[in-house]
Amino acid sequence: MALMLRAGLGLDPWDVFHQGVSEGTGISIGMVANITGALVLLFWIPLRERPGLGTVSNVLLIGSTMDVALWLLPEITGLGARVPLMLGAVVLNGAATGLYISARFGPGPRDGLMTALHRVTGRSIRLMRTGLEVSVLAAGMLLGGTAGIGTVVYALAIGPLAQFFLRFFAIRETESGMDFEERPRTGILRSRSRRMSRYPGPSCADAG
């Protein structure tokens, strides 16, 4: 997220929103990301979505880490450096997506909202994700956030990259594993769900 911002070629939809709010309030973009995550988490309550360790860690750490990274990273001016920086940021976010979902400690607040809306409404996850991200992108641009070629590259690349890294970092099951999709019998508790594993493109703010 910090690399995308330093590249200055456009951010992913949620970070366009975070940047717009940051510009308008004077609060750091990382802190805005944390606050937004906490507020989005409130919408989980009526949807009866349960947070996990990964959910709470996301709210507390993603934005804080972004602020530290921005403090450490210098400003980049040359286009020859900004383009590779943006491309590298998208690839790293794809890797982060594969890592955090494969760990199976719960989705980030934005991803959990999308999957909860999918469960409650019966609409496709793709539709839920598109609707939410178009909304926050529009709001962020109105607030002064930066959208550009990096936004387009992220939108086109994050799905295939996430799918690749999900397979790369996948935790292989053992014969004693408890996975409800591989076990049709009823009356047996499951240790975790693969719902997030079926979601190909989580938001940048949730993957970091």
Side-chain angles (χ1 to χ4, degrees), residues 14-207:
W14 279 99
D15 281 339
V16 172
F17 175 75
H18 297 151
Q19 185 186 44
V21 174
S22 176
E23 293 289 335
T25 62
I27 303 173
S28 71
I29 186 172
M31 185 57 63
V32 171
N34 282 353
I35 294 172
T36 301
L39 292 176
V40 170
L41 204 58
L42 294 178
F43 288 99
W44 284 32
I45 298 173
L47 295 172
R48 297 184 179 181
E49 191 77 358
R50 294 182 179 180
L53 177 62
T55 311
V56 177
S57 299
N58 181 289
V59 172
L60 296 177
L61 299 177
I62 291 292
S64 304
T65 304
M66 184 182 186
D67 278 344
V68 172
L70 286 171
W71 180 70
L72 293 173
L73 291 169
E75 296 287 343
I76 306 296
T77 55
L79 190 62
R82 291 163 62 200
V83 171
L85 194 66
M86 179 267 291
L87 294 175
V90 175
V91 172
L92 284 173
N93 189 244
T97 298
L99 283 167
Y100 110 85
I101 293 179
S102 296
R104 297 173 182 168
F105 281 108
R110 300 158 189 83
D111 292 335
L113 177 62
M114 295 177 210
T115 54
L117 288 172
H118 156 69
R119 172 175 50 80
V120 171
T121 65
R123 303 283 185 172
S124 69
I125 287 181
R126 184 179 300 276
L127 178 62
M128 294 296 100
R129 179 192 178 194
T130 300
L132 286 171
E133 296 208 353
V134 167
S135 299
V136 296
L137 176 61
M141 292 176 66
L142 289 173
L143 292 169
T146 304
I149 186 63
T151 311
V152 177
V153 171
Y154 176 86
L156 294 176
I158 192 62
L161 284 170
Q163 185 174 10
F164 169 78
F165 283 110
L166 276 168
R167 292 173 178 170
F168 185 82
F169 293 119
I171 300 174
R172 304 302 176 189
E173 299 298 324
T174 63
E175 292 183 359
S176 60
M178 297 172 63
D179 181 23
F180 74 95
E181 290 187 359
E182 295 176 354
R183 190 189 62 257
R185 291 178 296 152
T186 59
I188 302 178
L189 294 175
R190 65 177 183 264
S191 58
R192 80 282 180 282
S193 167
R194 283 188 177 176
R195 180 176 61 195
M196 287 302 297
S197 297
R198 298 196 299 270
Y199 178 42
S203 63
C204 180
D206 278 349

